[in-house]
Amino acid sequence: MEFPLTRHLLKAEIHCHIEGAAPPALAARQAEKYGVDTSDILREGAYVWSDFSEFLVCYDRVASLFRTDEDYALLTESYLTELAGENTIYSEIIVSPDHGDRIGLGADAYIAGISEGIRRAREKTGIEARIIVTGERHFGPESVIAAAKYAARGKNPLVTGFNMAGEERMGRVSDYAPAFDIAREAGLGLTIHAGEVCGPFSVADALDLVRPARIGHGVRAVEDPELVARLRDLGTVLEVCPGSNIALGVYPDFGSHPLRRLKQAGVRVCLNSDDPPFFHTSLAREYQIALETMGLSEQEIDGMTRTALEAAFVDEEPRGRLLARLDEGFRPASLG
Ligand SMILES: Nc1ncnc2[nH]cnc12
Ligand SMILES: [Zn+2]
Protein backbone atom coordinates (compact mmCIF):
# COMPACT_ATOMS: atom_id res chain seq x y z
CA MET A 1 0.00 0.00 0.00
CA GLU A 2 1.19 3.51 -0.80
CA PHE A 3 1.37 6.32 1.73
CA PRO A 4 2.00 9.38 -0.42
CA LEU A 5 1.63 12.09 2.24
CA THR A 6 4.81 11.07 4.04
CA ARG A 7 6.61 9.59 1.04
CA HIS A 8 9.08 12.51 0.95
CA LEU A 9 10.06 12.18 4.64
CA LEU A 10 13.21 10.22 5.47
CA LYS A 11 12.44 7.48 7.95
CA ALA A 12 14.19 5.37 10.59
CA GLU A 13 13.06 2.69 13.00
CA ILE A 14 14.77 0.99 15.92
CA HIS A 15 12.18 -1.67 16.78
CA CYS A 16 11.22 -4.38 14.30
CA HIS A 17 11.35 -8.14 14.98
CA ILE A 18 12.82 -10.02 12.03
CA GLU A 19 10.35 -12.91 11.98
CA GLY A 20 7.59 -10.38 12.62
CA ALA A 21 8.52 -8.75 9.32
CA ALA A 22 7.75 -11.89 7.28
CA PRO A 23 4.91 -11.23 4.83
CA PRO A 24 2.22 -13.96 4.97
CA ALA A 25 2.91 -14.85 1.31
CA LEU A 26 6.56 -15.55 2.14
CA ALA A 27 5.59 -17.56 5.24
CA ALA A 28 3.20 -19.60 3.04
CA ARG A 29 6.00 -20.32 0.55
CA GLN A 30 8.28 -21.38 3.41
CA ALA A 31 5.56 -23.67 4.80
CA GLU A 32 5.14 -25.29 1.39
CA LYS A 33 8.90 -25.72 1.03
CA TYR A 34 9.14 -27.54 4.37
CA GLY A 35 5.78 -29.32 4.16
CA VAL A 36 4.31 -27.62 7.23
CA ASP A 37 0.55 -27.28 7.79
CA THR A 38 -0.13 -23.65 8.72
CA SER A 39 -3.91 -23.65 8.28
CA ASP A 40 -4.39 -22.65 11.94
CA ILE A 41 -2.14 -19.56 11.78
CA LEU A 42 -2.37 -18.45 8.15
CA ARG A 43 -5.70 -17.93 6.39
CA GLU A 44 -6.60 -15.97 3.26
CA GLY A 45 -3.21 -14.32 3.13
CA ALA A 46 -3.26 -13.10 6.75
CA TYR A 47 -1.94 -14.29 10.09
CA VAL A 48 -4.59 -15.60 12.48
CA TRP A 49 -4.52 -14.72 16.19
CA SER A 50 -6.91 -12.98 18.53
CA ASP A 51 -5.00 -11.74 21.56
CA PHE A 52 -1.45 -11.14 22.80
CA SER A 53 -0.89 -14.76 23.91
CA GLU A 54 -2.11 -16.14 20.59
CA PHE A 55 -0.03 -13.56 18.74
CA LEU A 56 3.12 -14.84 20.50
CA VAL A 57 2.26 -18.45 19.59
CA CYS A 58 1.62 -17.43 15.98
CA TYR A 59 4.90 -15.49 15.95
CA ASP A 60 6.90 -18.49 17.17
CA ARG A 61 5.21 -20.74 14.60
CA VAL A 62 6.07 -18.34 11.77
CA ALA A 63 9.66 -18.16 13.08
CA SER A 64 9.88 -21.95 12.80
CA LEU A 65 9.28 -21.72 9.03
CA PHE A 66 12.67 -20.05 8.49
CA ARG A 67 15.25 -22.80 8.78
CA THR A 68 18.46 -21.93 6.95
CA ASP A 69 20.86 -19.02 6.86
CA GLU A 70 19.67 -18.34 3.31
CA ASP A 71 16.01 -18.25 4.44
CA TYR A 72 17.02 -15.54 6.93
CA ALA A 73 19.18 -13.68 4.40
CA LEU A 74 16.24 -13.52 2.00
CA LEU A 75 13.79 -12.41 4.69
CA THR A 76 16.14 -9.69 5.94
CA GLU A 77 17.09 -8.49 2.47
CA SER A 78 13.48 -8.26 1.32
CA TYR A 79 12.34 -6.45 4.47
CA LEU A 80 15.12 -3.87 4.33
CA THR A 81 14.71 -3.37 0.58
CA GLU A 82 11.03 -2.66 1.11
CA LEU A 83 11.88 -0.20 3.90
CA ALA A 84 14.43 1.56 1.71
CA GLY A 85 11.74 1.86 -0.97
CA GLU A 86 9.75 3.89 1.57
CA ASN A 87 12.68 6.29 2.08
CA THR A 88 14.00 4.59 5.23
CA ILE A 89 17.69 5.14 5.94
CA TYR A 90 18.15 3.12 9.13
CA SER A 91 16.63 0.06 10.80
CA GLU A 92 17.38 -1.94 13.93
CA ILE A 93 16.29 -5.55 13.65
CA ILE A 94 15.40 -7.53 16.76
CA VAL A 95 16.58 -11.15 16.51
CA SER A 96 16.31 -14.08 18.86
CA PRO A 97 19.13 -16.67 18.92
CA ASP A 98 16.58 -19.00 20.52
CA HIS A 99 14.76 -19.17 17.21
CA GLY A 100 17.99 -20.18 15.46
CA ASP A 101 18.57 -22.84 18.13
CA ARG A 102 14.99 -24.13 18.11
CA ILE A 103 15.08 -24.98 14.39
CA GLY A 104 18.49 -26.61 14.74
CA LEU A 105 20.25 -23.97 12.66
CA GLY A 106 22.20 -22.58 15.59
CA ALA A 107 22.60 -18.95 16.64
CA ASP A 108 25.76 -18.28 14.62
CA ALA A 109 24.28 -19.35 11.27
CA TYR A 110 21.00 -17.58 12.12
CA ILE A 111 22.80 -14.29 12.72
CA ALA A 112 25.14 -14.85 9.77
CA GLY A 113 22.09 -15.18 7.49
CA ILE A 114 20.55 -11.98 8.86
CA SER A 115 23.90 -10.17 8.47
CA GLU A 116 24.13 -11.33 4.87
CA GLY A 117 20.63 -9.96 4.24
CA ILE A 118 21.72 -6.62 5.73
CA ARG A 119 24.82 -6.58 3.52
CA ARG A 120 22.82 -7.29 0.35
CA ALA A 121 20.18 -4.66 1.14
CA ARG A 122 22.83 -2.05 1.96
CA GLU A 123 24.64 -2.74 -1.30
CA LYS A 124 21.43 -2.37 -3.31
CA THR A 125 19.84 0.57 -1.53
CA GLY A 126 22.28 2.19 0.91
CA ILE A 127 20.07 1.38 3.93
CA GLU A 128 22.02 1.03 7.18
CA ALA A 129 20.96 -1.59 9.75
CA ARG A 130 22.06 -3.08 13.06
CA ILE A 131 21.04 -6.19 15.00
CA ILE A 132 19.58 -6.24 18.51
CA VAL A 133 19.76 -9.66 20.16
CA THR A 134 16.71 -10.38 22.26
CA GLY A 135 15.81 -12.85 24.96
CA GLU A 136 12.23 -14.11 24.87
CA ARG A 137 10.70 -13.64 28.31
CA HIS A 138 8.29 -16.58 27.93
CA PHE A 139 11.23 -18.94 27.35
CA GLY A 140 12.31 -18.18 30.96
CA PRO A 141 15.21 -16.40 32.71
CA GLU A 142 17.79 -19.05 31.83
CA SER A 143 17.21 -18.67 28.13
CA VAL A 144 17.26 -14.85 28.39
CA ILE A 145 20.58 -15.03 30.27
CA ALA A 146 21.93 -17.41 27.60
CA ALA A 147 20.89 -14.94 24.89
CA ALA A 148 22.74 -12.16 26.74
CA LYS A 149 25.84 -14.30 27.08
CA TYR A 150 25.66 -15.07 23.38
CA ALA A 151 25.35 -11.36 22.47
CA ALA A 152 28.14 -10.46 24.89
CA ARG A 153 30.62 -12.70 23.07
CA GLY A 154 30.75 -9.91 20.50
CA LYS A 155 31.41 -12.12 17.50
CA ASN A 156 29.47 -10.00 15.03
CA PRO A 157 30.04 -6.22 14.79
CA LEU A 158 26.47 -5.68 13.56
CA VAL A 159 25.14 -6.86 16.95
CA THR A 160 25.03 -3.65 18.97
CA GLY A 161 22.25 -4.07 21.49
CA PHE A 162 20.33 -6.37 23.81
CA ASN A 163 16.58 -6.53 24.39
CA MET A 164 13.95 -8.67 26.06
CA ALA A 165 10.67 -9.34 24.22
CA GLY A 166 7.91 -11.89 24.70
CA GLU A 167 5.29 -12.38 27.39
CA GLU A 168 5.55 -9.33 29.66
CA ARG A 169 3.21 -10.93 32.22
CA MET A 170 5.68 -13.74 32.89
CA GLY A 171 7.80 -13.22 36.02
CA ARG A 172 9.15 -9.86 37.14
CA VAL A 173 11.96 -7.80 35.62
CA SER A 174 14.14 -8.74 38.63
CA ASP A 175 14.17 -12.37 37.40
CA TYR A 176 15.79 -11.24 34.16
CA ALA A 177 18.03 -8.41 35.42
CA PRO A 178 21.21 -10.59 35.44
CA ALA A 179 20.91 -10.90 31.65
CA PHE A 180 21.02 -7.13 31.31
CA ASP A 181 24.01 -6.92 33.67
CA ILE A 182 25.89 -9.24 31.29
CA ALA A 183 24.90 -7.22 28.22
CA ARG A 184 25.75 -3.89 29.92
CA GLU A 185 29.14 -5.20 30.97
CA ALA A 186 29.80 -6.15 27.33
CA GLY A 187 29.07 -2.58 26.22
CA LEU A 188 25.83 -3.40 24.38
CA GLY A 189 23.02 -0.86 24.19
CA LEU A 190 20.07 -1.85 26.39
CA THR A 191 16.38 -1.80 25.62
CA ILE A 192 13.51 -3.84 27.05
CA HIS A 193 9.86 -4.43 26.18
CA ALA A 194 7.86 -2.93 29.07
CA GLY A 195 4.62 -1.03 29.56
CA GLU A 196 3.01 -2.67 26.54
CA VAL A 197 0.74 -5.29 28.09
CA CYS A 198 1.56 -4.51 31.75
CA GLY A 199 1.07 -1.18 33.45
CA PRO A 200 3.42 1.50 34.79
CA PHE A 201 4.96 -0.85 37.41
CA SER A 202 6.64 -2.75 34.58
CA VAL A 203 8.27 0.42 33.21
CA ALA A 204 9.34 1.47 36.72
CA ASP A 205 10.88 -1.99 37.28
CA ALA A 206 12.76 -1.66 33.99
CA LEU A 207 14.13 1.78 34.96
CA ASP A 208 15.11 0.58 38.45
CA LEU A 209 16.67 -2.75 37.51
CA VAL A 210 17.82 -2.51 33.90
CA ARG A 211 18.55 1.22 33.50
CA PRO A 212 17.98 1.00 29.73
CA ALA A 213 18.63 3.83 27.28
CA ARG A 214 15.39 2.90 25.55
CA ILE A 215 12.17 1.04 26.27
CA GLY A 216 10.18 -1.00 23.74
CA HIS A 217 6.65 0.48 23.80
CA GLY A 218 6.58 1.94 27.34
CA VAL A 219 3.31 3.64 26.41
CA ARG A 220 1.39 2.54 29.51
CA ALA A 221 3.73 4.76 31.56
CA VAL A 222 1.24 7.47 30.60
CA GLU A 223 -1.03 6.14 33.38
CA ASP A 224 1.40 7.47 36.02
CA PRO A 225 2.33 11.19 35.74
CA GLU A 226 5.34 10.81 38.08
CA LEU A 227 6.70 8.02 35.90
CA VAL A 228 6.21 10.18 32.81
CA ALA A 229 8.25 12.92 34.50
CA ARG A 230 10.93 10.38 35.38
CA LEU A 231 11.17 9.20 31.76
CA ARG A 232 11.39 12.82 30.61
CA ASP A 233 14.13 13.65 33.13
CA LEU A 234 16.14 10.53 32.30
CA GLY A 235 15.76 11.11 28.55
CA THR A 236 14.76 7.46 28.07
CA VAL A 237 13.59 6.93 24.50
CA LEU A 238 10.30 5.09 23.99
CA GLU A 239 10.21 2.95 20.87
CA VAL A 240 6.52 3.52 20.20
CA CYS A 241 4.62 1.19 17.85
CA PRO A 242 1.10 2.63 17.53
CA GLY A 243 -0.23 0.19 14.92
CA SER A 244 0.93 -2.73 17.05
CA ASN A 245 -0.78 -1.30 20.13
CA ILE A 246 -4.09 -0.87 18.29
CA ALA A 247 -3.92 -4.35 16.69
CA LEU A 248 -3.18 -5.97 20.06
CA GLY A 249 -5.99 -4.02 21.74
CA VAL A 250 -3.78 -2.01 24.14
CA TYR A 251 -5.81 1.04 22.95
CA PRO A 252 -9.11 0.99 21.07
CA ASP A 253 -8.08 3.48 18.36
CA PHE A 254 -5.39 5.91 17.25
CA GLY A 255 -7.34 8.81 18.74
CA SER A 256 -6.83 7.41 22.24
CA HIS A 257 -3.21 6.36 21.71
CA PRO A 258 -0.87 8.25 24.10
CA LEU A 259 1.99 9.00 21.65
CA ARG A 260 1.10 12.67 21.39
CA ARG A 261 0.54 13.09 25.15
CA LEU A 262 3.89 11.50 25.95
CA LYS A 263 5.60 13.69 23.39
CA GLN A 264 3.93 16.82 24.73
CA ALA A 265 5.05 15.86 28.25
CA GLY A 266 8.65 15.98 26.99
CA VAL A 267 9.28 12.22 26.73
CA ARG A 268 11.54 11.27 23.81
CA VAL A 269 9.54 9.08 21.42
CA CYS A 270 9.96 7.62 17.94
CA LEU A 271 7.85 5.60 15.48
CA ASN A 272 8.32 1.88 14.83
CA SER A 273 6.52 -0.96 13.07
CA ASP A 274 7.18 -3.87 15.56
CA ASP A 275 5.81 -6.80 13.48
CA PRO A 276 4.35 -5.04 10.45
CA PRO A 277 2.42 -7.75 8.53
CA PHE A 278 1.04 -9.24 11.76
CA PHE A 279 -0.49 -5.84 12.52
CA HIS A 280 -1.43 -4.89 8.94
CA THR A 281 1.00 -2.02 9.07
CA SER A 282 4.33 -0.75 7.78
CA LEU A 283 6.71 1.98 8.90
CA ALA A 284 5.33 4.21 6.12
CA ARG A 285 1.80 3.65 7.45
CA GLU A 286 2.91 4.56 10.99
CA TYR A 287 4.33 7.84 9.65
CA GLN A 288 1.16 8.56 7.72
CA ILE A 289 -1.06 7.85 10.77
CA ALA A 290 1.08 10.15 12.92
CA LEU A 291 0.50 12.94 10.40
CA GLU A 292 -3.12 12.36 9.43
CA THR A 293 -4.73 10.82 12.51
CA MET A 294 -2.60 11.85 15.46
CA GLY A 295 -2.24 15.43 14.29
CA LEU A 296 1.55 15.65 14.42
CA SER A 297 3.24 18.06 12.04
CA GLU A 298 5.89 17.06 9.50
CA GLN A 299 8.47 18.86 11.66
CA GLU A 300 7.41 16.87 14.72
CA ILE A 301 7.55 13.61 12.77
CA ASP A 302 10.98 14.49 11.44
CA GLY A 303 11.97 15.21 15.05
CA MET A 304 10.97 11.65 15.98
CA THR A 305 13.15 10.29 13.16
CA ARG A 306 15.99 12.36 14.63
CA THR A 307 15.27 10.87 18.07
CA ALA A 308 15.45 7.34 16.60
CA LEU A 309 18.86 8.10 15.05
CA GLU A 310 20.14 9.79 18.22
CA ALA A 311 19.09 6.75 20.26
CA ALA A 312 20.28 4.18 17.71
CA PHE A 313 22.79 1.61 18.90
CA VAL A 314 25.30 2.59 16.25
CA ASP A 315 28.81 4.08 16.33
CA GLU A 316 29.19 7.86 16.27
CA GLU A 317 30.59 8.00 12.74
CA PRO A 318 27.63 6.33 10.98
CA ARG A 319 25.26 8.17 13.34
CA GLY A 320 26.75 11.48 12.20
CA ARG A 321 26.30 10.50 8.55
CA LEU A 322 22.69 9.44 9.12
CA LEU A 323 21.85 12.64 10.98
CA ALA A 324 23.47 14.72 8.24
CA ARG A 325 21.34 12.89 5.65
CA LEU A 326 18.26 13.64 7.70
CA ASP A 327 19.18 17.33 7.95
CA GLU A 328 19.75 17.55 4.20
CA GLY A 329 16.69 15.49 3.39
CA PHE A 330 14.01 17.40 5.29
CA ARG A 331 11.74 19.25 2.88
CA PRO A 332 8.22 19.97 4.12
CA ALA A 333 5.65 18.99 1.47
CA SER A 334 4.41 22.59 1.46
CA LEU A 335 7.77 23.70 0.00
CA GLY A 336 7.51 21.14 -2.83
N1 LIG B 1 4.87 -6.59 20.41
C1 LIG B 1 5.62 -7.53 20.99
N2 LIG B 1 5.68 -7.60 22.33
C2 LIG B 1 6.41 -8.54 22.93
N3 LIG B 1 7.12 -9.45 22.28
C3 LIG B 1 7.09 -9.43 20.95
N4 LIG B 1 7.69 -10.23 20.05
C4 LIG B 1 7.33 -9.80 18.83
N5 LIG B 1 6.51 -8.74 18.92
C5 LIG B 1 6.35 -8.49 20.24
ZN1 LIG C 1 8.48 -5.56 19.91
Short mmCIF file of all heavy atoms in Angstrom, two decimals, residues 114-146:
data_model
loop_
_atom_site.label_atom_id
_atom_site.label_comp_id
_atom_site.label_asym_id
_atom_site.label_seq_id
_atom_site.Cartn_x
_atom_site.Cartn_y
_atom_site.Cartn_z
N ILE A 114 21.13 -13.32 8.72
CA ILE A 114 20.55 -11.98 8.86
C ILE A 114 21.58 -10.92 8.45
O ILE A 114 21.26 -9.96 7.74
CB ILE A 114 20.06 -11.78 10.31
CG1 ILE A 114 18.86 -12.72 10.57
CG2 ILE A 114 19.68 -10.32 10.58
CD1 ILE A 114 18.51 -12.92 12.02
N SER A 115 22.84 -11.13 8.84
CA SER A 115 23.90 -10.17 8.47
C SER A 115 24.09 -10.13 6.96
O SER A 115 24.32 -9.06 6.38
CB SER A 115 25.24 -10.58 9.11
OG SER A 115 25.09 -10.66 10.51
N GLU A 116 24.00 -11.28 6.32
CA GLU A 116 24.13 -11.33 4.87
C GLU A 116 22.98 -10.56 4.21
O GLU A 116 23.18 -9.83 3.23
CB GLU A 116 24.18 -12.80 4.41
CG GLU A 116 24.13 -13.01 2.91
CD GLU A 116 25.30 -12.39 2.13
OE1 GLU A 116 26.30 -12.00 2.75
OE2 GLU A 116 25.16 -12.26 0.89
N GLY A 117 21.78 -10.71 4.76
CA GLY A 117 20.63 -9.96 4.24
C GLY A 117 20.85 -8.45 4.38
O GLY A 117 20.52 -7.67 3.47
N ILE A 118 21.44 -8.04 5.51
CA ILE A 118 21.72 -6.62 5.73
C ILE A 118 22.74 -6.13 4.68
O ILE A 118 22.59 -5.07 4.07
CB ILE A 118 22.26 -6.39 7.16
CG1 ILE A 118 21.14 -6.62 8.18
CG2 ILE A 118 22.88 -5.00 7.32
CD1 ILE A 118 21.58 -6.51 9.64
N ARG A 119 23.77 -6.96 4.48
CA ARG A 119 24.82 -6.58 3.52
C ARG A 119 24.23 -6.40 2.11
O ARG A 119 24.49 -5.41 1.44
CB ARG A 119 25.91 -7.65 3.51
CG ARG A 119 27.20 -7.26 2.82
CD ARG A 119 28.09 -8.45 2.52
NE ARG A 119 27.48 -9.43 1.64
CZ ARG A 119 27.27 -9.28 0.34
NH1 ARG A 119 27.64 -8.17 -0.26
NH2 ARG A 119 26.69 -10.25 -0.39
N ARG A 120 23.40 -7.37 1.70
CA ARG A 120 22.82 -7.29 0.35
C ARG A 120 21.93 -6.06 0.21
O ARG A 120 21.97 -5.36 -0.80
CB ARG A 120 21.98 -8.54 0.07
CG ARG A 120 22.80 -9.79 -0.13
CD ARG A 120 21.85 -10.95 -0.43
NE ARG A 120 22.47 -12.24 -0.22
CZ ARG A 120 21.81 -13.38 -0.12
NH1 ARG A 120 20.49 -13.40 -0.18
NH2 ARG A 120 22.45 -14.52 0.07
N ALA A 121 21.11 -5.80 1.23
CA ALA A 121 20.18 -4.66 1.14
C ALA A 121 20.97 -3.34 1.12
O ALA A 121 20.63 -2.41 0.40
CB ALA A 121 19.20 -4.69 2.31
N ARG A 122 22.04 -3.28 1.93
CA ARG A 122 22.83 -2.05 1.96
C ARG A 122 23.49 -1.80 0.60
O ARG A 122 23.54 -0.67 0.12
CB ARG A 122 23.89 -2.13 3.06
CG ARG A 122 24.69 -0.82 3.18
CD ARG A 122 25.60 -0.77 4.37
NE ARG A 122 26.16 -2.07 4.67
CZ ARG A 122 26.58 -2.45 5.87
NH1 ARG A 122 26.48 -1.63 6.88
NH2 ARG A 122 27.11 -3.62 6.05
N GLU A 123 23.99 -2.88 0.00
CA GLU A 123 24.64 -2.74 -1.30
C GLU A 123 23.66 -2.24 -2.36
O GLU A 123 23.99 -1.39 -3.17
CB GLU A 123 25.21 -4.10 -1.72
CG GLU A 123 26.34 -3.99 -2.73
CD GLU A 123 27.06 -5.33 -2.83
OE1 GLU A 123 27.78 -5.65 -1.89
OE2 GLU A 123 26.84 -6.05 -3.82
N LYS A 124 22.43 -2.75 -2.30
CA LYS A 124 21.43 -2.37 -3.31
C LYS A 124 20.87 -0.98 -3.09
O LYS A 124 20.60 -0.25 -4.02
CB LYS A 124 20.24 -3.36 -3.22
CG LYS A 124 20.33 -4.54 -4.12
CD LYS A 124 18.97 -5.22 -4.30
CE LYS A 124 18.35 -5.66 -3.00
NZ LYS A 124 17.19 -6.53 -3.12
N THR A 125 20.65 -0.63 -1.81
CA THR A 125 19.84 0.57 -1.53
C THR A 125 20.53 1.61 -0.66
O THR A 125 20.03 2.72 -0.52
CB THR A 125 18.56 0.17 -0.77
OG1 THR A 125 18.93 -0.28 0.55
CG2 THR A 125 17.80 -0.95 -1.48
N GLY A 126 21.61 1.25 0.00
CA GLY A 126 22.28 2.19 0.91
C GLY A 126 21.72 2.17 2.33
O GLY A 126 22.25 2.85 3.22
N ILE A 127 20.66 1.38 2.58
CA ILE A 127 20.07 1.38 3.93
C ILE A 127 21.07 0.81 4.94
O ILE A 127 21.77 -0.16 4.67
CB ILE A 127 18.72 0.61 3.97
CG1 ILE A 127 18.01 0.85 5.32
CG2 ILE A 127 18.92 -0.88 3.70
CD1 ILE A 127 16.55 0.40 5.34
N GLU A 128 21.13 1.45 6.08
CA GLU A 128 22.02 1.03 7.18
C GLU A 128 21.17 0.23 8.18
O GLU A 128 20.00 0.58 8.42
CB GLU A 128 22.57 2.29 7.83
CG GLU A 128 23.78 2.14 8.69
CD GLU A 128 25.05 1.79 7.91
OE1 GLU A 128 25.49 2.57 7.07
OE2 GLU A 128 25.57 0.69 8.21
N ALA A 129 21.74 -0.82 8.76
CA ALA A 129 20.96 -1.59 9.75
C ALA A 129 21.88 -2.18 10.80
O ALA A 129 23.08 -2.41 10.55
CB ALA A 129 20.18 -2.70 9.05
N ARG A 130 21.35 -2.41 11.97
CA ARG A 130 22.06 -3.08 13.06
C ARG A 130 21.15 -4.16 13.65
O ARG A 130 19.94 -4.16 13.42
CB ARG A 130 22.47 -2.08 14.16
CG ARG A 130 23.51 -1.05 13.71
CD ARG A 130 24.85 -1.66 13.38
NE ARG A 130 25.84 -0.65 12.99
CZ ARG A 130 26.03 -0.23 11.74
NH1 ARG A 130 25.29 -0.72 10.75
NH2 ARG A 130 26.95 0.67 11.47
N ILE A 131 21.76 -5.04 14.45
CA ILE A 131 21.04 -6.19 15.00
C ILE A 131 20.97 -6.06 16.52
O ILE A 131 21.99 -5.82 17.18
CB ILE A 131 21.80 -7.50 14.64
CG1 ILE A 131 21.80 -7.72 13.12
CG2 ILE A 131 21.21 -8.69 15.37
CD1 ILE A 131 22.71 -8.87 12.67
N ILE A 132 19.78 -6.22 17.06
CA ILE A 132 19.58 -6.24 18.51
C ILE A 132 19.23 -7.67 18.90
O ILE A 132 18.20 -8.20 18.46
CB ILE A 132 18.40 -5.33 18.94
CG1 ILE A 132 18.51 -3.92 18.36
CG2 ILE A 132 18.25 -5.28 20.45
CD1 ILE A 132 19.68 -3.14 18.83
N VAL A 133 20.07 -8.30 19.68
CA VAL A 133 19.76 -9.66 20.16
C VAL A 133 18.72 -9.56 21.28
O VAL A 133 18.85 -8.70 22.17
CB VAL A 133 21.04 -10.36 20.66
CG1 VAL A 133 20.69 -11.59 21.49
CG2 VAL A 133 21.90 -10.78 19.46
N THR A 134 17.73 -10.41 21.22
CA THR A 134 16.71 -10.38 22.26
C THR A 134 16.58 -11.73 22.96
O THR A 134 16.76 -12.78 22.34
CB THR A 134 15.33 -9.95 21.68
OG1 THR A 134 14.46 -9.61 22.76
CG2 THR A 134 14.67 -11.03 20.85
N GLY A 135 16.28 -11.67 24.24
CA GLY A 135 15.81 -12.85 24.96
C GLY A 135 14.30 -12.84 24.88
O GLY A 135 13.68 -11.77 24.79
N GLU A 136 13.70 -14.01 24.90
CA GLU A 136 12.23 -14.11 24.87
C GLU A 136 11.78 -14.45 26.29
O GLU A 136 12.07 -15.53 26.81
CB GLU A 136 11.78 -15.20 23.89
CG GLU A 136 12.17 -14.96 22.44
CD GLU A 136 11.35 -13.85 21.76
OE1 GLU A 136 10.36 -13.38 22.35
OE2 GLU A 136 11.74 -13.47 20.65
N ARG A 137 11.07 -13.53 26.89
CA ARG A 137 10.70 -13.64 28.31
C ARG A 137 9.94 -14.94 28.61
O ARG A 137 10.15 -15.57 29.65
CB ARG A 137 9.86 -12.40 28.66
CG ARG A 137 9.62 -12.21 30.12
CD ARG A 137 9.13 -10.78 30.34
NE ARG A 137 8.77 -10.56 31.71
CZ ARG A 137 8.72 -9.37 32.31
NH1 ARG A 137 9.01 -8.28 31.63
NH2 ARG A 137 8.37 -9.25 33.55
N HIS A 138 9.09 -15.37 27.67
CA HIS A 138 8.29 -16.58 27.93
C HIS A 138 9.11 -17.86 27.79
O HIS A 138 8.60 -18.94 28.06
CB HIS A 138 7.03 -16.62 27.05
CG HIS A 138 7.29 -16.44 25.58
ND1 HIS A 138 7.63 -15.22 25.04
CD2 HIS A 138 7.26 -17.30 24.55
CE1 HIS A 138 7.78 -15.35 23.73
NE2 HIS A 138 7.58 -16.61 23.39
N PHE A 139 10.37 -17.75 27.35
CA PHE A 139 11.23 -18.94 27.35
C PHE A 139 11.98 -19.06 28.70
O PHE A 139 12.78 -19.99 28.88
CB PHE A 139 12.25 -18.89 26.20
CG PHE A 139 11.66 -18.94 24.80
CD1 PHE A 139 12.42 -18.60 23.70
CD2 PHE A 139 10.33 -19.33 24.59
CE1 PHE A 139 11.89 -18.65 22.41
CE2 PHE A 139 9.80 -19.38 23.29
CZ PHE A 139 10.59 -19.03 22.21
N GLY A 140 11.77 -18.09 29.59
CA GLY A 140 12.31 -18.18 30.96
C GLY A 140 13.65 -17.48 31.14
O GLY A 140 14.38 -17.24 30.17
N PRO A 141 13.98 -17.16 32.42
CA PRO A 141 15.21 -16.40 32.71
C PRO A 141 16.49 -17.07 32.19
O PRO A 141 17.39 -16.39 31.69
CB PRO A 141 15.23 -16.32 34.24
CG PRO A 141 13.82 -16.50 34.64
CD PRO A 141 13.17 -17.38 33.62
N GLU A 142 16.54 -18.39 32.27
CA GLU A 142 17.79 -19.05 31.83
C GLU A 142 18.07 -18.80 30.36
O GLU A 142 19.21 -18.55 29.96
CB GLU A 142 17.69 -20.56 32.06
CG GLU A 142 18.16 -20.94 33.44
CD GLU A 142 18.09 -22.44 33.67
OE1 GLU A 142 18.18 -23.19 32.69
OE2 GLU A 142 17.93 -22.82 34.83
N SER A 143 17.02 -18.87 29.57
CA SER A 143 17.21 -18.67 28.13
C SER A 143 17.53 -17.20 27.83
O SER A 143 18.30 -16.91 26.92
CB SER A 143 16.01 -19.19 27.35
OG SER A 143 15.30 -18.16 26.75
N VAL A 144 16.96 -16.27 28.61
CA VAL A 144 17.26 -14.85 28.39
C VAL A 144 18.72 -14.57 28.78
O VAL A 144 19.44 -13.83 28.09
CB VAL A 144 16.26 -13.95 29.17
CG1 VAL A 144 16.63 -12.48 29.01
CG2 VAL A 144 14.84 -14.20 28.67
N ILE A 145 19.17 -15.20 29.85
CA ILE A 145 20.58 -15.03 30.27
C ILE A 145 21.51 -15.65 29.21
O ILE A 145 22.54 -15.06 28.85
CB ILE A 145 20.80 -15.65 31.67
CG1 ILE A 145 20.10 -14.78 32.72
CG2 ILE A 145 22.29 -15.79 31.99
CD1 ILE A 145 19.99 -15.41 34.10
N ALA A 146 21.11 -16.79 28.65
CA ALA A 146 21.93 -17.41 27.60
C ALA A 146 22.00 -16.51 26.37
O ALA A 146 23.07 -16.38 25.75
CB ALA A 146 21.35 -18.77 27.22
#
